[in-house]
Amino acid sequence: MSDVLLIALYAFLGAAAAGLGGALALRLLRHRSLTASVAVVAAVAVFAMLAGTLAVAWAMLLNSHDLTVVTVVVAMAAVASLATALLLGRRVVASSRRLALATRSFGDGGRFDAPAGPATAELAALSRELAVTSAKLTESRERERALETSRRELVAWISHDLRTPLAGLRAMAEALEDGMAKDPDRYFRQIRTEVERLNSMVGDLFELSRIHAGALSLNPARMSVHDLIGDALAGADPLAREHGVRLVGERVDVVPVEVDGKEMTRVLANLLVNAIRHTPADGTVAVAAEDRGSAVTLSVTDGCGGISEDDLPRVFDTGWRGTAARTPPGGAGLGLAIVRGIVEAHAGRAEVRNVAGGCRFELTLPAAPAHQ
């Protein structure tokens, strides 16, 4: 037993010396190619075995013939190990270079395409993650471009909508100042109307800026959908009468929701005003609420005749007003963008689809939690 322990000790000392040399070599080559590191690892294994064998042979006083045989066997093993290590290293390096080239085009703003050819499991996993990240960045860039386009359109349309009433206000003020107004009271009423419209436009811009900045502060409270819709219908009734449009509340389930009453009233008011203005006289605007268990769906259906399929995805974009509503009283194209922002702040979603004779705006909100 003592001989076995002695052999193990000499073998360990020889292998340890080779291991220390390998560790030093790996430290010196840490910035070099992976091929060199793999070759060092293979060489360390072979030289550790050779060093241990020589140490044991020296301690046991083996003859030179036996020592030569052992040395030749280990040398052949070293050749095979180094050749395998170099082959493996070159394959890994080639795969890494292909991945680096693909990543370079990805970093330049292009699309990442996974390199062809065999790769290790780790490099293949990295390629898949880069492909997923590339898809997400592409989607983000598309959203950013769409947002930038809508911002440009908004600036152009707001500038137009501001210039028109301001020019009118200036003309009326000059007429009053020069005493040229035959009916000053009518001018005063018109000035008040224009100022209220400008004030509404500025309010919408402020509200939208709060939504985009994430500064919209909500004060949710538990309330009935029936009461929420009833208040919105009452507020929109004068405008509906003026346009000869019937307001109908149908299929309104009595279900509680937990929302900011002020903000949701604004959402429904925006939808109702938009529906009334685009529904012809003697038409109907219907409001409904449906309990779907974990969610509540509010809908406003108008008689606008429908929205083109190309425009449907843009309805809730900032500044969108379609092609037939770019002049007052079409508005600044902010109402529906505000609707989506407020609904999403309540963890809900806003959608629109065409129905027979018009379109339906649907708001899906989380149902209020049950009382404990």
Side-chain angles (χ1 to χ4, degrees):
M1 188 64 181
S2 60
D3 291 340
V4 175
L5 292 177
L6 186 61
I7 290 172
L9 176 62
Y10 281 116
F12 173 76
L13 291 176
L20 289 175
L24 178 61
L26 287 175
R27 179 176 179 80
L28 294 175
L29 298 174
R30 63 184 181 276
H31 299 303
R32 298 297 182 89
S33 172
L34 180 63
T35 303
S37 298
V38 173
V40 168
V41 171
V44 166
V46 174
F47 282 109
M49 183 175 63
L50 178 60
T53 302
L54 292 177
V56 171
W58 174 79
M60 297 180 64
L61 301 177
L62 294 179
N63 58 57
S64 57
H65 179 268
D66 293 341
L67 186 60
T68 301
V69 171
V70 171
T71 303
V72 170
V73 172
V74 172
M76 295 301 101
V79 171
S81 299
L82 288 175
T84 304
L86 291 174
L87 179 61
L88 173 62
R90 288 175 64 86
R91 288 181 57 186
V92 173
V93 168
S95 298
S96 299
R97 286 175 178 171
R98 289 195 298 268
L99 183 58
L101 290 174
T103 307
R104 185 177 305 165
S105 64
F106 173 38
D108 292 337
R111 178 183 176 84
F112 177 81
D113 294 318
T120 62
E122 293 78 10
L123 290 179
L126 179 58
S127 295
R128 289 193 295 270
E129 291 298 324
L130 287 173
V132 171
T133 303
S134 173
K136 292 180 179 178
L137 287 177
T138 299
E139 182 181 354
S140 177
R141 284 193 293 267
E142 290 176 354
R143 285 199 305 267
E144 183 65 26
R145 283 194 292 267
L147 182 59
E148 185 62 27
T149 300
S150 67
R151 284 173 178 169
R152 291 197 186 100
E153 293 176 349
L154 174 63
V155 170
W157 294 344
I158 287 292
S159 300
H160 174 270
D161 288 351
L162 287 177
R163 281 198 302 267
T164 301
L166 287 175
L169 288 172
R170 181 177 180 177
M172 287 185 286
E174 290 176 350
L176 289 170
E177 184 180 13
D178 297 338
M180 301 297 293
K182 295 181 180 180
D183 186 359
D185 290 339
R186 184 175 66 86
Y187 276 55
F188 287 135
R189 289 193 299 271
Q190 186 64 27
I191 288 175
R192 180 178 180 84
T193 299
E194 294 295 335
V195 169
E196 288 178 351
R197 192 162 67 85
L198 288 173
N199 183 67
S200 176
M201 189 182 302
V202 171
D204 285 346
L205 283 171
F206 179 71
E207 182 76 2
L208 193 63
S209 68
R210 288 200 304 157
I211 292 173
H212 286 172
L216 182 63
S217 179
L218 299 178
N219 297 301
R222 190 182 183 91
M223 62 182 60
S224 171
V225 170
H226 186 275
D227 295 337
L228 193 65
I229 291 179
D231 293 342
L233 290 174
D237 186 65
L239 181 64
R241 290 178 180 274
E242 179 183 346
H243 285 75
V245 174
R246 294 185 301 273
L247 291 180
V248 177
E250 56 183 12
R251 302 193 313 277
V252 179
D253 294 342
V254 181
V255 56
V257 289
E258 194 163 316
V259 297
D260 187 310
K262 178 182 177 182
E263 297 295 342
M264 286 307 302
T265 298
R266 179 168 192 163
V267 164
L268 290 175
N270 283 358
L271 290 179
L272 286 172
V273 169
N274 184 70
I276 291 169
R277 286 177 174 171
H278 291 85
T279 298
D282 295 331
T284 300
V285 171
V287 183
E290 182 180 356
D291 182 6
R292 297 185 176 178
S294 61
V296 178
T297 300
L298 310 180
S299 65
V300 176
T301 305
D302 59 34
C304 66
I307 301 173
S308 70
E309 295 297 328
D310 293 337
D311 286 338
L312 275 178
R314 296 196 57 203
V315 166
F316 292 102
D317 288 353
T318 301
W320 182 88
R321 292 182 293 182
T323 58
R326 295 193 178 186
T327 57
L334 306 180
L336 294 179
I338 291 174
V339 166
R340 181 174 63 178
I342 294 176
V343 170
E344 290 181 350
H346 284 84
R349 67 179 185 274
E351 300 170 311
V352 61
R353 58 188 175 90
N354 286 323
V355 295
C359 58
R360 176 175 296 163
F361 289 84
E362 293 186 348
L363 312 178
T364 303
L365 298 170
H371 284 301
Q372 300 295 330

